[in-house]
Amino acid sequence: MTRDDRRRPLIGITSYQDDAAWSVWNQRASLVPQTYVDAVVRAGGTPVLLPPQPGGADHLLDALDGLVLAGGPDVDPARYAADADPRTGPPHHARDGWESALLHTALTRDLPVLGVCRGMQLLNVELGGTLLQHLPDGSHQTVPARYVRHRVTLVADSRLADVLGPTAEVSCYHHQAVDRLGAGLQVTARSADGTVEALELAGHRFALGVQWHPETNPDDLRLFQALVAAGQTTPTHRETAP
């Protein structure tokens, strides 16, 4: 490992726990789409996968310079005191609890955070907000495993607009969306139908959530580059002597 490698900010990426198949195996696995890993690496960071586990968020975040809350299954409606809509997916208690602990610790320490899709929704929920459990069919999610491309309008003078400009063409895949805002959050992007597409936490060095999937566009790394750049100034970041 070179000195330059050791200087790259360590960016944690939350991961799935799901059944997976590879080679001759078909078993439970902790995994994350490679697109997240590639985006962090190409943006100048070193990715660290964070599978759901019983505890240790405080200790783990001692070593990290930034956090990505990855996309995934629906957040349990019980976390925002709602009954589950029949179209809401089954709860993933281990992941919800693990990511909640990571998020709260990161925000307490002013560690840079980027929430992607589910990650943005979790940010809203954990700060006291609620979710719309189902958007009109065919609006932001049409057929399985196919993203919907549309344009979003960003709020002027927001951190997000500083990174992406006044508008952006994005890839979405979600059937839920932010409803009531959590404490301290500001809407910084919307789609043409009014759906909340991005949030920022006021007073935090870097705490953004986007409803789309920036990791799927290898030609636009600006959000990940902004996260990595914020991570380079994280007080917990330590350079290793040569």
Side-chain angles (χ1 to χ4, degrees), residues 27-225:
Q27 57 183 278
R28 197 75 173 167
S30 294
L31 54 92
V32 67
Q34 184 66 30
T35 48
Y36 286 99
V37 173
D38 292 343
V40 169
V41 170
R42 294 184 63 212
T46 297
V48 179
L49 302 193
L50 308 176
Q53 50 198 278
D58 287 357
H59 175 70
L60 179 60
L61 290 180
D62 286 342
L64 297 181
D65 302 298
L67 175 66
V68 176
L69 298 172
D74 296 336
V75 175
D76 184 0
R79 299 189 79 88
Y80 47 98
D83 294 329
D85 184 282
R87 295 161 294 190
T88 294
H92 290 246
H93 298 301
R95 185 171 178 187
D96 285 349
W98 171 239
E99 292 187 357
S100 172
L102 288 172
L103 176 59
H104 281 284
T105 302
L107 294 180
T108 298
R109 298 183 181 188
D110 202 24
L111 193 77
V113 175
L114 174 62
V116 175
C117 197
R118 164 195 158 88
M120 184 187 89
Q121 294 173 2
L122 184 73
L123 173 65
N124 188 59
V125 167
E126 292 304 311
L127 291 176
T130 62
L131 302 179
L132 296 168
Q133 292 191 49
H134 194 72
L135 295 171
D137 291 338
S139 57
H140 293 252
Q141 180 175 312
T142 53
V143 298
R146 182 175 298 174
Y147 292 102
V148 174
R149 293 283 293 175
H150 63 213
R151 185 162 291 277
V152 298
T153 301
L154 282 62
V155 173
D157 299 324
S158 64
R159 181 67 179 270
L160 190 62
D162 288 344
V163 175
L164 299 181
T167 65
E169 188 80 14
V170 302
S171 296
C172 286
Y173 188 81
H174 62 100
H175 78 111
Q176 299 191 337
V178 165
D179 188 9
R180 188 183 72 238
L181 284 180
L185 290 171
Q186 301 170 342
V187 176
T188 53
R190 290 185 185 271
S191 56
D193 64 4
T195 298
V196 175
E197 293 283 355
L199 298 174
E200 295 180 20
L201 181 59
H204 198 281
R205 181 158 52 102
F206 189 98
L208 307 181
V210 295
Q211 190 60 75
W212 64 87
H213 285 267
E215 79 284 358
T216 63
N217 185 356
D219 297 322
D220 188 353
L221 297 171
R222 288 176 293 173
L223 272 176
F224 288 95
Q225 288 168 337

Side-chain angles (χ1 to χ4, degrees), residues 3-16:
R3 180 180 175 86
D4 286 342
D5 288 335
R6 289 196 297 264
R7 285 177 171 173
R8 294 167 68 94
L10 296 177
I11 306 298
I13 306 172
T14 60
S15 69
Y16 298 68

